[in-house]
Amino acid sequence: MISYATVVRREKMPSVYLYIPNIIGYLRIIVNFIAFAVCYSNRTLFAILYFFSFVLDGIDGWFARKFNQASTFGAVLDMVTDRVSTACLLALLSQSYRPGLVFLMLLGLDITSHWFQMYSSFLSGKTSHKDVQHTSNWLLKLYYEYRPFMAFCCVSCEVLYIILFLFADEKSTSLLSVCRVVMKQSPLIVLVFISTLVGWALKQVTNIIQMKTAADTCVEIDPKRSK
């Protein structure tokens, strides 16, 4: 039987939908809507808004830990917002560059890798897709267990895509040509560009490893169920 104190405590608890990190998540969605609405008319504003939404992604995690407001809904909202915003940007890049298939393949890898990871975590009874304690791959462990490394990889990907979008012209552009143009810019831009390429490459390798590891987990589930 539920005690009166428990009922009162539950009534005082805010709805999960109104958790601070989840409210920040709603703000991210609104900012992304505005960003993509102006992406062709004002690329600079788009870049600012898109990056601001990405910064909010880190802030909502801090609030979740600070106020003990981590939730399953918040984790799903966060991942869906991340995947959709990145997918939209990659779709834009696929229209601005040739070969556009490169960006569509990156989009497919990003979604597939994270979907496999989420579903395999669910099948394994884990509370978070970031729980990689049982994996033997050092890179995947480093990615999820060492926040600065994850931040470097994620920021590098988004900044690289933003740079490519800002340097794309009105017509379909050769990806290699734009990379050569960027390399002729100021030393600071060149340094940022090379750094983001490194982080981007590490992120794609991690995605591939994550997809394979998660797929192995899904394959191992069926024999266990049949016993």
Side-chain angles (χ1 to χ4, degrees), residues 55-105:
V55 171
L56 289 176
D57 184 29
I59 294 176
D60 67 4
W62 182 85
F63 274 101
R65 294 185 295 273
K66 176 72 174 178
F67 296 102
N68 193 28
Q69 292 187 340
S71 63
T72 301
F73 170 75
V76 174
L77 176 67
D78 190 55
M79 174 168 281
V80 170
T81 304
D82 288 343
R83 302 283 69 77
V84 171
S85 58
T86 301
C88 289
L89 181 51
L90 286 170
L92 286 177
L93 291 173
S94 72
Q95 299 299 309
S96 301
Y97 287 94
R98 61 177 191 274
L101 182 61
V102 172
F103 297 102
L104 295 180
M105 290 174 65

Side-chain angles (χ1 to χ4, degrees), residues 81-155:
T81 304
D82 288 343
R83 302 283 69 77
V84 171
S85 58
T86 301
C88 289
L89 181 51
L90 286 170
L92 286 177
L93 291 173
S94 72
Q95 299 299 309
S96 301
Y97 287 94
R98 61 177 191 274
L101 182 61
V102 172
F103 297 102
L104 295 180
M105 290 174 65
L106 290 172
L107 189 161
L109 174 61
D110 187 58
I111 293 177
T112 304
S113 174
H114 285 84
W115 171 253
F116 264 97
Q117 181 68 4
M118 285 286 285
Y119 196 71
S120 65
S121 298
F122 169 74
L123 291 176
S124 301
K126 297 178 180 178
T127 57
S128 171
H129 70 282
K130 296 180 180 180
D131 182 357
V132 292
Q133 293 181 358
H134 297 93
T135 184
S136 59
N137 188 275
W138 65 270
L139 184 59
L140 196 58
K141 280 191 172 183
L142 180 65
Y143 181 79
Y144 279 115
E145 295 181 353
Y146 187 56
R147 290 185 181 277
F149 181 71
M150 175 191 276
F152 170 68
C153 293
C154 293
V155 171

Side-chain angles (χ1 to χ4, degrees), residues 43-44 46-47 93 96-97 159-175 177-186 188-190 192-193:
R43 295 193 178 206
T44 302
F46 164 80
L93 291 173
S96 301
Y97 287 94
V159 171
L160 176 63
Y161 296 152
I162 290 173
I163 290 174
L164 291 176
F165 184 74
L166 288 174
F167 275 87
D169 57 27
E170 299 298 327
K171 300 178 181 179
S172 182
T173 309
S174 168
L175 183 57
S177 298
V178 170
C179 288
R180 285 195 289 267
V181 169
V182 176
M183 292 299 290
K184 294 178 182 178
Q185 302 300 311
S186 67
L188 178 60
I189 293 179
V190 172
V192 171
F193 185 65

